[in-house]
Amino acid sequence: MTERPHLAVIGAGPAGLAATVAAAAHGVRVTLLDSAAQAGGQFYRQPAAELNARRPQALHHQWRTWERLRDSLARHVEAGHATHVTDHHVWFVERRLDRFTVHALVGPAQEDPVEVRADAVLLATGGYEKVLPFPGWTLPGVLTAGGAQAMLKGSLAVSGRTAVVAGTGPLLLPVATGLAAAGVEVAALVESADPKAFLRRTRALVAQPGKLAEGAQYAAQLLSHRVKLRTRHTVVEAHGEERLEAVTVAALDTDGRVRTGTERRLPCDTLAVGHGMLPHTELAETLGCRLEGLAVHVDDEQRTDVPGVWAAGEATGIGGADLALAEGHIAGRSAAARLTGAVPDPRAWAKAAKSRMGLREFSAALDTVYAPPVCWTDLVTDDTIVCRCEEVTGGAVREAVAGLGAGDVRTVKLLTRAGMGWCQGRMCGPAVAGLAGCELTPSRRPFARPVPLGVLARAGETEDDGHR
């Protein structure tokens, strides 16, 4: 029997799961690699088995979709058509001729190297949260909206008894309702967007009745938990000595700037704040894939411009779980057809393609509504820490620009060390770009994550010996 061609899928969130199931069902052997201990990604994050959660579905919507994906993956693994490897932190994908080698780190310290060889690669690397600083944001008790959600889903824990959820974007709704359902008193949901902006996007919104129903369901939950919704408001400052004690919020005018005299102090011990997400593109960049803005460019089959490389989900543009599922399904079927020599039939994924088109229009409409307020840079004082890794302040960034002539993120980094720490600018990059008044550009890092020198040395030795 001819051996099935081998596809490596990186990332086990909605896009990666959908791609794995689709490809495995159409004649391809799939290895699904993920850094987490369980499949699901952030959206389908599951509590640790040791917690014995009785009703994990209470933390999720679309639970039946997750069950179908989980069970399909299990069947393909049992049949030998797929392999799911956990705790694999991929740091580099190497392309040689028509083959690929996926380099990953495993083990408690993430120092043990492993390699997976494949005929093609599908990148479902997801996204990460955009962090915008403000005075007091480094206090214990202040965390990202996604961090609060991950803590609740993964460990059934919350960081305090009274919370404020703030920022902008649709993620704030499930975070606020999830915390409230877990027994946290949510003092307010502070959203900087103007509800009237939705009226200018009615065509794209009405075309997705399921999404509108989902939003209405969250609104009903907010009402049932008596969560105050403050639209066109923003967090001005977080207060506290040893940890968070309160936040000051203020109203925004029509230009997105703070209206003087509207400041109000809200006592709380938790602030979950988010301003949207950015695509994870490091692996795509190292492979030489073309980017459109900050996202990976793909064609109608989710193929990148590098032969043998597909991409799906948030890496190709932030759009949510439904869009990721549609893109993953298309990418998996396309990869299977191309690897097996079959002629891709667009009609086979017509439903997913139609869903993809509508959801892309929907997410584009949301992007225009949920933009961070223009005033956010005005709130960053000269003493506010911008880069936590290197403790670079807003004043240092401004001095690099105004006093030393820096005009881009890279020059600010060289002058101030902002972005030279462990996260390599993933957290502070958007803030530095905003304060510098320049566009946030791809980082062009050589590796997707920090790698021990010993691992690089051993990789070099095997290459010199001609063994891969």
Side-chain angles (χ1 to χ4, degrees):
M1 179 180 291
T2 304
E3 184 179 354
R4 287 181 168 218
H6 187 197
L7 172 69
V9 176
I10 302 173
L17 286 170
T20 297
V21 170
H26 290 85
V28 172
R29 179 169 60 95
V30 183
T31 297
L32 175 62
L33 303 96
D34 194 60
S35 60
Q38 300 182 70
Q42 169 71 351
F43 189 77
Y44 294 124
R45 182 185 291 269
Q46 303 297 306
E50 295 80 5
L51 296 175
N52 295 317
R54 290 179 296 177
R55 296 182 62 250
Q57 64 270 28
L59 301 172
H60 298 267
H61 65 286
Q62 296 188 1
W63 183 257
R64 291 183 179 178
T65 301
W66 154 248
E67 288 182 319
R68 287 195 296 269
L69 289 170
R70 178 198 63 195
D71 295 345
S72 295
L73 174 63
R75 286 193 296 270
H76 287 300
V77 169
E78 184 178 0
H81 300 158
T83 302
H84 176 211
V85 291
T86 60
D87 295 312
H88 278 56
H89 302 263
V90 178
W91 58 272
F92 188 63
V93 179
E94 184 179 16
R95 180 171 179 258
R96 290 204 162 200
L97 300 177
D98 295 328
R99 295 277 293 175
F100 296 85
T101 300
V102 179
H103 297 267
L105 300 172
V106 299
Q110 298 176 27
E111 293 181 348
D112 299 326
V114 297
E115 296 179 357
V116 174
R117 295 172 181 80
D119 300 301
V121 172
L122 196 155
L123 303 173
T125 47
Y128 62 100
E129 284 192 271
K130 181 192 298 182
V131 177
L132 301 178
F134 51 88
W137 75 289
T138 58
L139 281 169
V142 181
L143 65 167
T144 65
Q149 187 182 59
M151 183 185 299
L152 182 58
K153 287 182 176 181
S155 61
L156 307 180
V158 294
S159 65
R161 296 183 178 180
T162 305
V164 170
V165 178
T168 190
L171 178 60
L172 302 187
L173 291 170
V175 171
T177 55
L179 290 174
V184 177
E185 179 188 351
V186 181
L189 172 54
V190 181
E191 169 60 69
S192 63
D194 185 351
K196 295 180 182 178
F198 287 101
L199 298 178
R200 297 189 291 272
R201 304 290 183 271
T202 53
R203 186 182 67 84
L205 300 180
V206 172
Q208 298 295 325
K211 290 293 185 181
L212 295 181
E214 184 181 321
Q217 183 180 10
Y218 283 129
Q221 293 177 35
L222 292 175
L223 285 173
S224 67
H225 290 291
R226 298 181 180 179
V227 177
K228 295 181 180 178
L229 176 60
R230 300 182 184 274
T231 58
R232 285 179 56 187
H233 278 67
T234 191
V235 170
V236 174
E237 185 175 358
H239 311 278
E241 296 296 331
E242 299 297 324
R243 62 166 289 117
L244 180 68
E245 298 172 3
V247 298
T248 293
V249 302
L252 300 171
D253 62 21
T254 54
D255 294 326
R257 302 188 181 279
V258 170
R259 290 168 48 197
T260 304
T262 64
E263 295 85 356
R264 178 174 298 186
R265 190 178 176 114
L266 302 177
C268 62
D269 55 18
T270 296
L271 171 61
V273 60
H275 291 94
M277 297 183 65
L278 296 169
H280 262 308
T281 61
E282 289 93 339
L283 292 175
E285 292 174 50
T286 60
L287 280 164
C289 300
R290 180 161 68 93
L291 303 185
E292 282 187 355
L294 297 175
V296 181
H297 169 77
V298 292
D299 65 9
D300 289 343
E301 293 183 34
Q302 299 296 138
R303 294 180 298 174
T304 72
D305 57 347
V306 175
V309 180
W310 282 256
E314 310 288 41
T316 67
I318 305 301
D322 290 333
L323 178 56
L325 289 169
E327 290 187 353
H329 179 80
I330 293 170
R333 294 197 65 149
S334 170
R338 297 288 178 177
L339 289 172
T340 58
V343 177
D345 182 3
R347 293 173 298 179
W349 58 68
K351 182 178 179 181
K354 181 179 179 180
S355 175
R356 178 181 60 183
M357 181 174 63
L359 288 167
R360 283 178 175 174
E361 292 178 355
F362 180 80
S363 62
L366 291 189
D367 283 345
T368 61
V369 173
Y370 288 123
V374 296
C375 72
W376 76 263
T377 54
D378 299 336
L379 303 178
V380 180
T381 65
D382 286 347
D383 294 330
T384 302
I385 295 291
V386 173
C387 172
R388 300 181 71 161
C389 297
E390 297 293 329
E391 298 186 344
V392 179
T393 64
V397 174
R398 290 186 174 109
E399 173 60 22
V401 175
L404 301 176
D408 54 63
V409 173
R410 183 177 182 275
T411 306
V412 173
K413 177 179 180 178
L414 294 173
L415 293 172
T416 67
R417 293 190 60 82
M420 287 191 181
W422 180 259
C423 82
Q424 290 292 287
R426 292 173 180 83
M427 298 294 288
C428 66
V432 172
L435 290 173
C438 63
E439 291 292 326
L440 181 63
T441 56
S443 58
R444 305 298 179 188
R445 303 181 185 94
F447 307 127
R449 58 183 302 107
V451 186
L453 288 175
V455 171
L456 294 178
R458 290 195 293 273
E461 289 172 0
T462 56
E463 185 173 359
D464 290 342
D465 293 339
H467 301 295
R468 300 303 303 164

